[in-house]
Amino acid sequence: MKMKPNVSITPDDLRAIRTRILRMSNSAKSAHVGSALSCVEILASLFFSVQKNQTGDDKIIFSKGHAASALYAVAEHFGQLESKELDRYLQKGTSLWGHPSGIDK
């Protein structure tokens, strides 16, 4: 999957990511929303930096397990996950659980 071109992270980007987290959490009836919302800027900055470099060998180690929805929403925003994958967050048969799993796109 190809990443979306972007020149900077805007407040609208951050708002869209936060909205996605809230919708995912509401749909899945999950908790830990505060953890996810509190790290959006950090994750968006990391994904944006990786997107700009595009070397293909960058790795992000994310140890804030209860904020997995933020990781997934940011990955979707930057073209690393598809919306249909996030629509199945915490559902039976999904690979997107409440603690981060690898994103190898």
Side-chain angles (χ1 to χ4, degrees):
M1 180 180 305
K2 203 167 195 178
M3 293 188 197
K4 291 194 264 184
N6 197 347
V7 279
S8 66
I9 301 165
T10 68
D12 288 339
D13 290 320
L14 300 174
R15 192 174 304 109
I17 292 166
R18 284 195 169 90
T19 299
R20 183 58 158 145
I21 291 167
L22 292 172
R23 288 187 177 144
M24 289 168 54
S25 296
N26 183 55
S27 177
K29 301 193 182 355
S30 68
H32 308 299
V33 176
S35 291
L37 295 176
S38 72
C39 64
V40 169
E41 285 88 352
I42 295 167
L43 287 172
S45 295
L46 288 170
F47 270 76
F48 180 71
S49 174
V50 168
Q51 176 183 346
K52 283 178 67 176
N53 295 335
Q54 293 197 14
T55 61
D57 60 354
D58 294 304
K59 302 285 183 203
I60 295 173
I61 298 172
F62 185 65
S63 63
K64 192 174 183 179
H66 286 161
S69 59
L71 177 66
Y72 302 146
V74 170
E76 176 200 32
H77 188 79
F78 285 95
Q80 294 296 300
L81 286 175
E82 300 219 11
S83 293
K84 65 182 178 182
E85 291 180 79
L86 264 67
D87 292 339
R88 295 186 36 79
Y89 175 62
L90 296 181
Q91 293 181 14
K92 187 177 182 177
T94 187
S95 63
L96 303 180
W97 289 103
H99 290 101
S101 59
I103 300 172
D104 294 324
K105 299 280 178 172

